[in-house]
């Protein structure tokens, strides 16, 4: 297993039900983690840049990003991330309900590390997140923190 220390995960998600399911999946996970939640794209950018009330926010080890967000879309957040030297190394996984080919292509063109479509069934959603956790936190080696 590559991750031995607790990790910080930023979940950018406006759907309260998906937030709850994600919290449930990670709470019972094998990797010690802290799940930080922002509800829209603008707040996510403030969190990542430690602005507007997020001055004490940790730099996340991993980002789970919905595409369909209020105020600033997930695609816009991806673009900001990958054009910011301080943020572009953070692995970013798009976790969205969209199966649209243009969203998939656009996400990868903006350097998303993976694209996962949210299952509609809550149990399948939790299973998908647990599989995600096993792969991204146990198999893949994450980049070291720059701080």
């Amino acid at each position: 297993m590559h991750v031995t220390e607790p990790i910080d995960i930023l979940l950018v998600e406006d759907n309260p039900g998906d937030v709850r399911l994600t919290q449930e999946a990670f709470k019972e996970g094998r990797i010690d983690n802290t799940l930080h939640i922002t509800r829209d794209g603008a707040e996510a950018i403030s969190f990542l840049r430690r602005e507007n009330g997020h001055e004490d926010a940790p730099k996340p080890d991993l980002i789970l990003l919905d595409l369909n967000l209020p105020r600033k879309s997930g695609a816009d957040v991806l673009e900001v991330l990958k054009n910011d030297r301080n943020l572009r190394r953070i692995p970013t996984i798009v976790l969205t309900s969209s199966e649209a080919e243009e969203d998939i292509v656009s996400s990868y063109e903006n350097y998303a590390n993976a694209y996962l479509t949210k299952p509609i069934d809550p149990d399948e959603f939790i299973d998908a997140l647990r599989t995600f956790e096993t792969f991204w936190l146990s198999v893949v080696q994450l980049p070291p923190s720059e701080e």
Side-chain angles (χ1 to χ4, degrees), residues 33-91:
N33 66 76
T34 302
L35 189 63
H36 306 275
I37 299 158
T38 58
R39 306 283 179 169
D40 62 62
E43 184 186 2
I45 291 168
S46 292
F47 183 97
L48 291 162
R49 290 185 171 161
R50 297 180 177 144
E51 302 170 338
N52 304 320
H54 295 284
E55 286 77 13
D56 295 330
K59 185 173 184 181
D61 298 293
L62 197 63
I63 299 169
L64 290 173
L65 177 65
D66 189 14
L67 288 182
N68 303 311
L69 297 166
R71 298 194 331 153
K72 190 175 273 295
S73 73
D76 291 339
V77 173
L78 263 179
E79 192 170 329
V80 167
L81 279 170
K82 299 312 172 186
N83 287 309
D84 187 316
R85 294 183 58 125
N86 296 317
L87 302 174
R88 68 175 156 215
R89 282 189 6 183
I90 303 170

Side-chain angles (χ1 to χ4, degrees), residues 26 62 64 93 116 128-137:
F26 282 118
L62 197 63
L64 290 173
I93 292 79
L116 300 174
L129 284 173
R130 289 188 179 142
T131 301
F132 158 86
E133 180 189 36
T134 299
F135 179 74
W136 278 98
L137 306 181

